[in-house]
Amino acid sequence: MRPFAYAVPATLDEALRALSEAGPGAKLLAGGTTLYDLMKLDVETPPAVVDIRALPELAGVDTAGASELSFGAGAPMADVAADPVLRRDYPALAESLAKAASQQLRNVATVGGNLLQRTRCPYFRGGLAFPCNKRRPGSGCAAIGGLDRGHALLGGSDACIATYPGDWAVALIAFDAILDVAGPRGSRTLPLAGLHVEPGDRPDREHTLAWDEIVTRIRVPVTAAGRGSTYHKVRDRESYAFALASAAVAVTLGAGGTVEECRVAVGGVATRPWRCHEAERELVGAVLDRGSARRAGETAFAEARPGRQNAFRIELGVRTVAEALRIAGERAER
Amino acid sequence: MTNAEMPRVGAREKVTGAARYGADHTPPGVAYAMPVVATVGKGRITRLDTTAAEAVSGVLLVLSHLDDLGIVPAGYIMAGGYAFQSLQPLLDDRVAYRGQPIALVVADTLVAAAEAAGLVRAVYEEEPFAVELDAAGTETVLQEEALPLPFLADVVVGDADGAYERSPLRVDAVYEAGPQHQVPMELIGGVAEWRGDTLVVHEGSQSVGALRGGLARQLGLDPDRVEVIAPYVGGGFGQKNSLQPHLAPLAVAARRLGRPVKLVLPRADTFHAASFRPVSRHRVRLGADRSGRLLAAIHEVDQQASRHDLLPASYTEITSRLYDIRNFRGRQRHVRTDVQTPGYMRAPFEHPAAFALESAVDELAHAAGRDPVELRLANDAVKDPVTGKPFSSRHLAACLRRGAELFGWAGRSPDPCSMRAADGTPVGWGVAAGAYPAMTVPVLARVRAGADGGVLVEAGGHEMGQGMTSALVSAVAQDLGIGAGSVRAVVGDTRVAPHHLTAGAWGTHSTLLAVHAALRELRERLGVPPEGPVDVAAAVAATGEREVVTEAVTRGPGQPPEAVDRMRAGLVAPDGPDYPDHVAFSFVAHFVEVRVEPAAPRVRVSRVVSVADCGRVASPVTADAQVRGAVVWGIGAALSEHSEVDPRFGGFLNADLADYVIPVNADVGAIEVDFIGEPDLTLNPMGVKTLGEVALVGVAPAIANAVFHATGRRPRRLPIRIEDLL
Ligand SMILES: Cc1cc2nc3c(=O)[nH]c(=O)nc-3n(C[C@H](O)[C@H](O)[C@H](O)COP(=O)(O)OP(=O)(O)OC[C@H]3O[C@@H](n4cnc5c(N)ncnc54)[C@H](O)[C@@H]3O)c2cc1C
Ligand code: SF4
């Protein structure tokens, strides 16, 4: 870790100013569970850190709204995971947080910071001795042809196959979440689907936020499909582990169990939160049963590109989608 | 308060944070060190640039091979030395493995030391290397030839190959386990401090005597000028069983700077700074008659080694004795690779050996169409098939019978894939047995009885969470019939006694043996009967002295007095399990229920029953905890723990607690523990055998056998992960 300047602004305006003054390279600090971790590994070396955790504009959760749910970017993961309305009406959202990290981490980590966590690729984290295009553009990718058990099957490139590790963003993308973003040039909204980018030939670029912007809120349009939803996560151990494969699924069912509305996203298997529109289209109008659920999973992974060790996660991913559809179908009101 | 109700000694201190571990020691003026490690798999350092590091504000010193540290290697623990490996880094430009330390930065603050360590630049001349058993460039040597010592020779009884060929039922399979790391919560690290000419070291260690002897050798000091203090060890599991190479350079830095220096290795460094469980591959051949009666066994092992040392292997010590096999042939080989020297990790040989043998026995039971418990009982031994001597005690059959009853084994349906939970989830039941040698080491113990009625025990031994101090306090309180509150025990401190390494589960009973002897002498000095309650205050007052002190040195039954000299020097000197008149082993049986999640398919351990034969139970609270902890270890070893190796780079890649997957509470089902509790008075007067290691032996194969029962698929490599069952 290197010494850095540290500021604790009292308002959003002050924070934006502090960020602009510190210049590119400065970093926002929320819970610090990603940022400090990466600073200790020398992956992040910000000269200045602006602490936004306690900003009033980033606080608060509102799950009672008529048209949308609203989450302050600074809300702790643990609080949102425990929100009773969310647990009842949008179990996929609550579960994606409850099944992430550990209780201790969730107590300090924020739902805003969570979106911008970085890959767990061990070569990326392991130090400059490993070729890694994300860490040192142009140096190569050690994961390709290496230990890629946890690497992405979807959305990778010849330059990088790093998995986007988060759970919450996968559930959010299934629900068409929107971000409120504040910046020195004013405020804007950004669909979550437009936040993360695939590595392409620039794996060091992971998202579309400018360095001087702050996510203030995450909003989710109200939908009846929330009730019939789940975040199903398969991992090597029952807690404190990233997904080998996960699926955020929401359905509403009509007469005879036909799918009316449907959302499918997969996590732990792609370079960004991955919405599976094609699988959704296939399901709508079909009777939700084992066969259709499995086919939806197969469609979700139709484009999967396996490496050396991770091919098993295609079949695992297919089964995870199918299992999530089964659980969501049971929860959906008919 | 009865023995069974006595709480763990130190529990309150640990829970409230009052307990002070080695590196918690923060003397005034302490400076902080941080290592720099090699980032190539093998080679030479051609240039080491420390200018940028030295320019960081607060940096005091950068030690490397460019400097003359004035130290010599401490020698390999298994070759007359003190260190986990013979190689002492920082003495020359050689890089033997990825992750080897190449420099040590010392600074006023931890932050400055860490920043500066990141700025040291090394240029290497790289050499080809091999880190996997099958890689080109490894070298395979026969243990018998490379380590020509009688007790390391291959075990050969009868004509195993002939008997195998003639057997009507045969199993021939290859099993593999490891590499793994111990990952105790307490990181490796300590504080070196000079008080005049005396070096004082605070460091969590299972062998303060080795640290003392080793540092004395490395620095050219009289051992009396080295004090090592480790009242608590935050888990060792073999990782802290010898001198680590950071300590001598730390002492050099402290001397040069004239101030104490502290080093706590980052978690990632601990994967390369100390020993680990090597990968081992086992070919097991079993021959039996049609009923499953074992006629022959051949157990051939290849174990990973470093280039510079050979870890003496004893896999066949238990596989040749778990059953009454009259024809046995063992063969142990070492495969030299470019890593730090692998070493002891809880049940180092016995866990993988039992995985191999007990899986093969399960394969045999399946082939013979016999119940696996019945088959094991039918093959039980009454005397040691290797030496022909009696066992000091052997209650494996009782473990199997009691375990089967507690588990409800009679309700098992024999065919694979034939049991399901109410919700349709496939269920499997598996069993496996384990054994572990009961070794004894020399110990010095002193008992101080005070006029206030208090008793202080000072003894060679280490409290690493396994419950040594609880066992000592409980033993003294029981013996003298006084309250546990009047007894205190000091271990892990070279200022009070010389110390043998505490490992191999020999700690508790060896130290108890010495305490027992010191207590007998105390009673004599106090003029009280050899047994029965003692009014300590009155008895001491009657002597007219303020304190009555007795001391005893004990050793194993077959040990020559030189063993005591070795102990005093901090060298290893275990005795057994082959004693003059008997062989001594502890035994265990594990019964496991797994559920295999239908969608994933992930193995969940829902229920375990473990029954151990460890002689008399010395400390019920900590003994129960030992077995539970071992079962959790076994779940990790069987299902998730694996140190990942990328052959293109060397070293271990998943070097943190997020990626090295140890189980969490939610991965552990119900555990029921029971003990046979028969005292083994042949082994020692307390009747205590060993427990800490045997408890792990057999957990992994019981899980693997349950997986086979649930799925019909035979796991032959650990860990058993989703991809193996998909
Ligand atoms: C051992 C471990 C296990 C974990 N397991 C999981 C898991 O299973 N699933 C999972 O989803 N996550 C997991 N995590 C990740 C964890 O959830 C994230 O680290 C956490 O959510 C990040 O939130 P934070 O508030 O601490 O962010 P910080 O570390 O403070 O910030 C993270 C990044 O976001 C930026 N940032 C923060 N807030 C804002 C904002 N409002 N606007 C713009 N940029 C911002 C920061 O500058 C930084 O780059 C794990 C983490 C660890 C350490
Ligand atoms: S997968 Fe991406 S992050 Fe990992 S080594 Fe390759 S380039 Fe780096």
Side-chain angles (χ1 to χ4, degrees):
Chain A
M1 178 147 6
R2 322 264 173 100
F4 55 89
Y6 176 70
V8 195
T11 65
L12 180 62
D13 280 344
E14 274 181 44
L16 287 169
R17 230 173 302 129
L19 194 56
S20 294
E21 278 162 19
K27 276 281 177 185
L28 293 170
L29 174 79
T33 59
T34 285
L35 186 65
Y36 282 156
D37 186 28
L38 293 176
M39 284 168 74
K40 287 194 225 166
L41 294 173
D42 253 5
V43 173
E44 305 273 14
T45 51
V49 165
V50 178
D51 187 339
I52 55 167
R53 182 172 172 78
L55 289 184
E57 293 88 342
L58 270 56
V61 173
D62 181 3
T63 47
S67 62
E68 64 180 22
L69 317 171
S70 164
F71 307 96
M77 289 167 72
D79 289 6
V80 179
D83 185 276
V85 179
L86 200 67
R87 289 176 56 174
R88 189 191 62 211
D89 292 345
Y90 299 85
L93 289 174
E95 287 167 358
S96 74
L97 290 167
K99 292 180 180 177
S102 66
Q103 184 67 46
Q104 293 88 335
L105 285 159
R106 294 192 296 269
N107 288 343
V108 290
T110 63
V111 294
N114 185 288
L115 302 177
L116 295 168
Q117 62 181 288
R118 304 189 67 185
T119 186
R120 301 294 304 186
C121 171
Y123 301 101
F124 168 72
R125 293 169 59 86
L128 292 174
F130 296 113
C132 173
N133 290 324
K134 194 185 273 302
R135 202 158 162 178
R136 263 187 310 147
S139 62
C141 171
I144 295 174
L147 301 185
D148 60 2
R149 181 173 184 264
H151 284 77
L153 297 152
L154 297 164
S157 70
D158 291 342
C160 177
I161 52 169
T163 298
Y164 172 77
D167 296 303
W168 168 235
V170 175
L172 285 175
I173 205 171
F175 286 102
D176 299 318
I178 300 153
L179 308 179
D180 289 340
V181 178
R185 297 164 297 281
S187 298
R188 62 175 179 127
T189 60
L190 172 70
L192 180 77
L195 177 66
H196 299 96
V197 294
E198 289 173 29
D201 55 8
R202 285 293 305 279
D204 55 318
R205 267 186 75 242
E206 291 170 1
H207 59 75
T208 57
L209 277 188
W211 65 271
D212 53 2
E213 289 184 313
I214 299 178
V215 176
T216 54
R217 301 201 87 70
I218 302 164
R219 291 184 286 122
V220 174
V222 158
T223 165
R227 286 246 175 176
S229 76
T230 189
Y231 187 75
H232 188 59
K233 179 175 177 182
V234 180
R235 44 200 155 155
D236 282 318
R237 65 181 156 200
E238 192 54 20
S239 163
Y240 193 56
F242 292 91
L244 286 170
S246 70
V249 157
V251 290
T252 56
L253 299 180
T258 9
V259 178
E260 287 181 338
E261 194 189 331
C262 171
R263 289 119 187 280
V264 178
V266 290
V269 290
T271 54
R272 59 176 175 80
W274 198 263
R275 180 87 179 255
C276 311
H277 290 291
E278 191 57 38
E280 294 173 1
R281 269 194 291 275
E282 273 177 30
L283 274 169
V284 171
V287 174
L288 183 57
D289 58 17
R290 287 178 69 150
S292 62
R294 166 126 197 138
R295 278 193 300 282
E298 285 168 355
T299 301
F301 284 88
E303 307 290 316
R305 281 195 10 212
R308 270 180 72 231
Q309 304 175 319
N310 60 2
F312 78 96
R313 283 167 51 239
I314 297 177
E315 172 62 18
L316 184 66
V318 170
R319 292 196 196 183
T320 304
V321 170
E323 179 70 1
L325 281 163
R326 185 188 66 75
I327 298 167
E330 280 176 9
R331 287 178 181 170
E333 286 166 17
R334 287 161 205 245
Chain B
M1 196 162 45
T2 68
N3 194 6
E5 288 159 356
M6 196 193 85
R8 175 190 278 273
V9 172
R12 195 186 159 74
E13 290 81 347
K14 287 179 182 174
V15 172
T16 57
R20 283 284 166 270
Y21 291 81
D24 290 340
H25 181 64
T26 306
V30 71
Y32 294 85
M34 189 54 76
V36 181
V37 301
T39 55
V40 295
K42 191 175 184 170
R44 281 177 189 283
I45 307 165
T46 53
R47 211 165 72 83
L48 192 71
D49 183 356
T50 59
T51 24
E54 276 157 12
V56 171
S57 155
V59 168
L60 305 166
L61 198 62
V62 181
L63 297 182
S64 73
H65 73 281
L66 300 177
D67 205 325
D68 179 10
L69 299 192
I71 58 175
V72 298
Y76 178 40
I77 179 178
M78 296 314 290
Y82 297 96
F84 95 85
Q85 63 177 0
S86 57
L87 188 149
Q88 170 65 49
L90 306 191
L91 298 189
D92 59 29
D93 61 357
R94 204 154 52 97
V95 172
Y97 52 89
R98 186 186 198 88
Q100 176 196 309
I102 56 169
L104 188 72
V105 178
V106 186
D108 278 327
T109 64
L110 178 59
V111 174
E115 184 191 355
L119 295 173
V120 173
R121 290 284 167 265
V123 181
Y124 307 90
E125 189 184 294
E126 294 186 49
E127 291 166 25
F129 56 90
V131 286
E132 294 182 314
L133 286 186
D134 297 321
T138 60
E139 185 202 347
T140 302
V141 296
L142 266 175
Q143 171 154 307
E144 273 203 328
E145 289 170 7
L147 299 170
L149 293 167
F151 68 98
L152 296 177
D154 289 342
V155 177
V156 176
V157 184
D159 169 24
D161 294 274
Y164 173 77
E165 286 307 326
R166 290 187 297 275
S167 295
L169 266 184
R170 275 176 290 196
V171 170
D172 180 354
V174 176
Y175 306 88
E176 196 175 301
Q180 289 186 324
H181 281 76
Q182 303 92 337
V183 296
M185 278 310 295
E186 184 195 27
L187 292 162
I188 293 174
V191 182
E193 184 178 1
W194 290 88
R195 295 195 191 137
D197 289 339
T198 299
L199 173 63
V200 181
V201 170
H202 286 78
E203 169 153 321
S205 174
Q206 302 170 237
S207 191
V208 291
L211 269 53
R212 174 173 176 261
L215 284 169
R217 182 186 283 182
Q218 291 203 269
L219 299 161
L221 296 172
D222 182 328
D224 288 343
R225 299 260 66 87
V226 182
E227 295 174 357
V228 184
I229 303 162
Y232 292 103
V233 186
F237 312 117
Q239 189 193 58
K240 296 173 183 151
N241 73 357
S242 45
L243 178 63
Q244 317 280 5
H246 66 264
L247 208 44
L250 207 63
V252 171
R255 188 156 57 188
R256 286 200 194 165
L257 294 171
R259 57 197 275 198
V261 183
K262 179 189 294 209
L263 170 64
V264 179
L265 293 179
R267 177 64 70 185
D269 286 25
T270 68
F271 280 75
H272 305 106
S275 70
F276 63 101
R277 188 196 298 287
V279 60
S280 62
R281 187 177 291 156
H282 306 249
R283 180 176 180 200
V284 176
R285 276 170 282 176
L286 297 179
D289 69 15
R290 298 219 179 272
S291 75
R293 179 78 185 83
L294 284 163
L295 304 173
I298 304 168
H299 184 187
E300 295 171 323
V301 191
D302 283 346
Q303 174 186 263
Q304 176 182 24
S306 70
R307 294 284 178 191
H308 37 283
D309 302 301
L310 296 177
L311 167 71
S314 55
Y315 296 93
T316 53
E317 186 174 71
I318 65 151
T319 53
S320 57
R321 296 175 151 106
L322 204 49
Y323 300 107
D324 185 20
I325 306 174
R326 303 296 167 85
N327 299 288
F328 184 95
R329 181 171 67 73
R331 191 213 61 197
Q332 306 185 103
R333 298 195 304 189
H334 298 263
V335 182
R336 290 189 187 272
T337 60
D338 298 291
V339 290
Q340 77 267 30
T341 301
Y344 298 87
M345 170 167 160
R346 202 172 194 180
F349 312 109
E350 298 76 9
H351 151 69
F355 167 60
L357 180 73
E358 286 293 90
S359 295
V361 166
D362 202 67
E363 301 203 30
L364 178 69
H366 185 65
R370 281 202 72 181
D371 176 81
V373 173
E374 240 181 60
L375 180 119
R376 284 177 171 83
L377 289 171
N379 283 292
D380 195 20
V382 282
K383 61 175 188 178
D384 177 23
V386 178
T387 60
K389 294 177 192 175
F391 287 98
S392 61
S393 67
R394 176 179 171 118
H395 302 290
L396 176 57
C399 293
L400 284 162
R401 286 201 184 93
R402 180 151 340 148
E405 196 183 304
L406 291 171
F407 189 82
W409 185 260
R412 179 179 187 260
S413 102
D415 289 333
C417 312
S418 63
M419 289 176 75
R420 277 174 195 276
D423 65 358
T425 307
V427 169
W429 287 4
V431 63
Y436 191 88
M439 290 174 278
T440 310
V441 299
V443 174
L444 181 149
R446 192 179 302 112
V447 178
R448 298 175 179 274
D452 60 354
V455 177
L456 174 65
V457 184
E458 298 170 334
H462 301 83
E463 175 55 68
M464 42 217 205
Q466 90 280 35
M468 162 83 76
T469 44
S470 299
L472 295 184
V473 167
S474 153
V476 172
Q478 272 205 332
D479 189 296
L480 299 176
I482 60 178
S486 311
V487 186
R488 229 162 43 83
V490 175
V491 295
D493 191 332
T494 60
R495 294 170 305 179
V496 304
H499 281 61
H500 190 280
L501 158 68
T502 300
W506 56 59
T508 300
H509 74 271
S510 297
T511 303
L512 279 176
L513 186 63
V515 170
H516 183 84
L519 281 172
R520 303 276 75 66
E521 186 161 341
L522 178 73
R523 282 171 176 275
E524 246 172 61
R525 290 272 305 280
L526 293 176
V528 299
E531 268 170 55
V534 179
D535 182 341
V536 176
V540 172
T543 65
E545 288 172 55
R546 291 204 0 251
E547 187 184 53
V548 176
V549 185
T550 60
E551 204 176 276
V553 180
T554 48
R555 55 181 199 264
Q559 282 197 297
E562 297 82 74
V564 176
D565 300 336
R566 286 180 62 82
M567 176 274 281
R568 287 185 185 276
L571 296 165
V572 286
D575 184 25
D578 187 356
Y579 295 101
D581 303 321
H582 52 260
V583 298
F585 288 82
S586 287
F587 297 91
V588 72
H590 301 283
F591 293 78
V592 168
E593 175 182 282
V594 300
R595 287 161 190 246
V596 182
E597 292 173 348
R602 197 170 59 140
V603 178
R604 313 296 297 154
V605 176
S606 43
R607 204 155 68 83
V608 179
V609 170
S610 301
V611 182
D613 160 25
C614 60
R616 188 173 68 78
V617 178
S619 164
V621 176
T622 53
D624 185 86
Q626 277 280 8
V627 180
R628 275 167 206 283
V631 169
V632 176
W633 262 62
I635 293 172
L639 300 177
S640 62
E641 287 182 47
H642 192 249
S643 305
E644 307 287 348
V645 174
D646 184 333
R648 303 167 306 166
F649 295 102
F652 299 99
L653 196 60
N654 55 335
D656 67 38
L657 287 182
D659 294 333
Y660 183 84
V661 185
I662 56 174
V664 296
N665 272 331
D667 295 314
V668 180
I671 302 173
E672 190 178 344
V673 177
D674 202 4
F675 299 98
I676 300 301
E678 276 303 319
D680 184 341
L681 296 168
T682 307
L683 185 63
N684 57 49
M686 303 84 57
V688 176
K689 295 200 281 188
T690 67
L691 177 63
E693 312 253 358
V694 76
L696 171 64
V697 184
V699 178
I703 292 172
N705 295 342
V707 169
F708 173 74
H709 187 231
T711 65
R713 296 171 77 147
R714 174 67 64 187
R716 293 203 179 93
R717 180 198 290 254
L718 299 182
I720 308 158
R721 296 195 282 203
I722 289 175
E723 54 264 50
D724 301 311
L725 299 174
L726 203 62

